[in-house]
Amino acid sequence: MRLVAHINKLLQDDVYEIPATVFKNDFLSALETIAKYLHENLNLGFVQIGKLLNRSDKTIWVTYQHSIKKMSHRFYPAKAQHYIPVSAFSNRTFSTLESLVMFLRETYGLSYDEIAGMLNRSYTTVVTVSNRATKKKGEMK
């Protein structure tokens, strides 16, 4: 499915997904990437993004402002094999990166090495983030 058709379908269904390919950048944090993509590519407002991510619209606005200082051009994501629903980032117990790594491991069964390459992060960072998220999940039970 063409990316434009995919985005139009998501907007009609009120289900928002982010292609994993946008996270492979050298400039932005995971939250900055999400805020920038949702605002610029899906034309969502800061209040709506805040509600989707369970964060303050002010936080989203500031995060977006930081993202455009670091990366002025918009995302032109390559065709993605993996999509992450925005709802995966709404649990504030976990950091944005923890939520992302957990989702990719649990949903797609990707290895740490695959995730590291996909997110342009080091293998050790991905393992550390995953271990931290696993520990938090254990504490929640």
Side-chain angles (χ1 to χ4, degrees):
M1 179 185 306
R2 288 186 15 242
L3 184 60
V4 173
H6 180 74
I7 289 173
N8 288 336
K9 182 180 181 333
L10 293 176
L11 292 173
Q12 289 171 351
D13 296 343
D14 273 346
V15 175
Y16 302 103
E17 293 181 313
I18 301 170
T21 54
V22 300
F23 291 98
K24 189 170 188 157
N25 68 73
D26 292 326
F27 310 107
L28 307 177
S29 71
L31 185 58
E32 289 169 341
T33 299
I34 294 165
K36 184 172 179 66
Y37 180 81
L38 292 176
H39 186 67
E40 293 179 0
N41 292 70
L42 299 185
N43 299 313
L44 299 180
F46 299 118
V47 172
Q48 189 174 9
I49 296 169
K51 285 179 183 172
L52 290 169
L53 297 177
N54 192 25
R55 284 174 168 74
S56 159
D57 56 301
K58 293 175 180 115
T59 299
I60 300 302
W61 182 85
V62 168
T63 302
Y64 175 73
Q65 295 304 313
H66 289 151
S67 77
I68 58 176
K69 287 178 185 173
K70 294 178 183 180
M71 187 175 120
S72 59
H73 61 280
R74 74 183 299 169
F75 288 111
Y76 297 99
K79 185 174 181 178
Q81 184 177 3
H82 303 99
Y83 285 86
I84 298 92
V86 174
S87 60
F89 302 103
S90 64
N91 185 341
R92 294 291 303 274
T93 302
F94 303 101
S95 73
T96 309
L97 189 56
E98 289 169 348
S99 296
L100 178 58
V101 170
M102 273 192 325
F103 182 83
L104 292 171
R105 292 265 307 153
E106 294 171 0
T107 305
Y108 294 112
L110 298 176
S111 69
Y112 294 130
D113 200 40
E114 291 170 317
I115 294 170
M118 182 183 295
L119 303 181
N120 209 28
R121 302 288 197 273
S122 75
Y123 175 85
T124 354
T125 297
V126 172
V127 171
T128 301
V129 165
S130 180
N131 289 340
R132 192 178 311 131
T134 302
K135 183 178 176 187
K136 286 180 185 179
K137 274 177 84 172
E139 292 171 358
M140 290 172 54
K141 291 182 180 180

